Amino acid sequence: FFFFFFFWGGGGGGGGVVAESGPRAASVSSILNDDQIREVEAYGDDDASLYHHRYHHHHHHHDRRRTICELFRPYRMRVAVVSASSAMFVMLIIMGATSLAMNRQYGYGLTTVSLVIQLHVCAMFIPCFFTGEILAFLGKVNTMVLGCLFFVISVLSGFTGAKISNFLFSLIALGMGWNFLFIGSTRLLVEGLTHDEQSRVEGVNEVFVQGFGAAGALASGFLVAQSWHTVLFCAIPIIVVNLGMLIALKIQRCGQTLMVDIPELAGARITDGEEDDGDDDHEDADAADAAAAAPTARESKTSSHSDSHS
């Protein structure tokens, strides 16, 4: 039922109306999401027609409801799901094993163990008060890379020793890494989607996130039975793969930015819809020239008739 609801379930999406940006901006508001509408408002009425040309072709080709496969075709969507899932998996596999390792393997009391877990939970959620500012300053991908780096610090701290300070530093870094990676990935997931599409992709993302989270919680008990370092070793490849995917996405976006910044490359990226609009403009111009030439022809014909009567 869960898969059926989010893969084929109904739901209405759409944009609002830009009331203060002029009639041309309002005409394109139905095919833009909220972020794009705010961008149109920033440009004003004179440049709103540019956004009409930018999204006109996209609108005609996406009148039908896109499937889940089409929504997850962009590389950034797959990166967002992998990042959110790996953030939950790594966090739960290390957090779940920490209390067992401290109490069973290293002999710490429950009071000390509970203090470490409490500080870890605080590190997970206290950064939420300023994570939005970090996302706005660094960007979504850079914030996610920062989260992976905190995961690396957590693993390295766990390898360096078994003192209380090692466990505290490892779990605090783990909580902050989860916060930056998970929140950044969920923001990246809904980038440029309509409200209906956001609900569907978020549902699919939750399936993977909760599934990998449950797998991490179950695996932590089996792995910590081997040793505390076995848990850390299992987290390393997941962090490395996630970090590699983020770097690849960063390179891809830098290449797209380079194409936009170079006029020669940007001018070559003309969509088929814009070419059709250009052809229509030429046809309209030819029709206007013909209409302007018609009165001149009639005047010359009238003057020739009058000369013959004379």
Side-chain angles (χ1 to χ4, degrees):
F1 174 79
F2 190 85
F3 275 103
F4 179 83
F5 179 79
F6 283 106
F7 273 65
W8 296 281
V17 176
V18 184
E20 298 180 358
S21 297
R24 283 182 292 179
S27 66
V28 300
S29 62
S30 60
I31 61 174
L32 307 181
N33 58 32
D34 294 338
D35 293 335
Q36 294 163 350
I37 288 174
R38 285 192 291 269
E39 196 171 356
V40 172
E41 290 176 340
Y43 272 76
D45 179 52
D46 294 336
D47 294 331
S49 59
L50 298 176
Y51 277 84
H52 174 74
H53 288 292
R54 180 178 175 183
Y55 295 102
H56 179 73
H57 181 71
H58 172 83
H59 175 62
H60 282 292
H61 285 269
H62 293 285
D63 286 337
R64 65 181 183 85
R65 197 163 183 256
R66 291 192 289 176
T67 63
I68 289 295
C69 293
E70 292 173 340
L71 290 174
F72 282 93
R73 187 171 298 164
Y75 179 66
R76 66 172 178 83
M77 301 291 290
R78 298 192 293 272
V79 172
V81 174
V82 170
S83 298
S85 302
S86 63
M88 190 66 70
F89 181 85
V90 171
M91 187 273 294
L92 284 173
I93 197 175
I94 295 179
M95 182 191 71
T98 298
S99 58
L100 295 174
M102 291 183 67
N103 183 256
R104 299 291 179 88
Q105 294 183 13
Y106 299 105
Y108 290 105
L110 294 180
T111 303
T112 305
V113 174
S114 62
L115 175 64
V116 172
I117 299 300
Q118 287 170 2
L119 293 177
H120 163 70
V121 174
C122 291
M124 287 176 61
F125 297 106
I126 288 179
C128 292
F129 290 105
F130 52 85
T131 304
E133 284 73 15
I134 294 177
L135 283 167
F137 180 74
L138 296 179
K140 292 182 281 290
V141 179
N142 291 335
T143 303
M144 294 165 67
V145 172
L146 181 62
C148 288
L149 294 180
F150 272 107
F151 276 169
V152 173
I153 294 172
S154 173
V155 172
L156 292 178
S157 178
F159 276 120
T160 54
K163 298 179 180 179
I164 297 178
S165 58
N166 294 112
F167 284 107
L168 274 174
F169 194 72
S170 176
L171 269 291
I172 289 174
L174 180 70
M176 295 184 66
W178 174 86
N179 183 281
F180 294 146
L181 183 58
F182 186 78
I183 295 180
S185 62
T186 53
R187 288 285 297 272
L188 180 67
L189 182 72
V190 298
E191 184 180 90
L193 300 179
T194 65
H195 295 296
D196 174 52
E197 293 171 342
Q198 288 177 10
S199 301
R200 296 166 66 202
V201 298
E202 286 170 355
V204 175
N205 181 61
E206 284 299 313
V207 173
F208 287 98
V209 168
Q210 302 304 328
F212 276 91
L218 291 173
S220 63
F222 294 100
L223 294 174
V224 77
Q226 308 300 319
S227 69
W228 166 241
H229 287 174
T230 302
V231 177
L232 300 177
F233 274 120
C234 290
I236 291 175
I238 300 173
I239 299 171
V240 171
V241 170
N242 194 359
L243 189 59
M245 294 182 69
L246 289 171
I247 293 174
L249 178 61
K250 187 68 177 177
I251 294 173
Q252 182 189 73
R253 291 197 164 191
C254 289
Q256 293 174 351
T257 304
L258 181 63
M259 292 188 68
V260 172
D261 290 340
I262 299 176
E264 291 79 4
L265 296 177
R269 300 178 63 187
I270 302 175
T271 62
D272 296 335
E274 291 175 348
E275 291 175 354
D276 295 340
D277 292 340
D279 295 337
D280 295 339
D281 292 339
H282 287 301
E283 293 176 359
D284 294 339
D286 294 339
D289 293 339
T296 306
R298 285 196 296 269
E299 290 175 359
S300 60
K301 186 175 181 181
T302 304
S303 61
S304 62
H305 280 296
S306 61
D307 291 340
S308 62
H309 284 298
S310 302

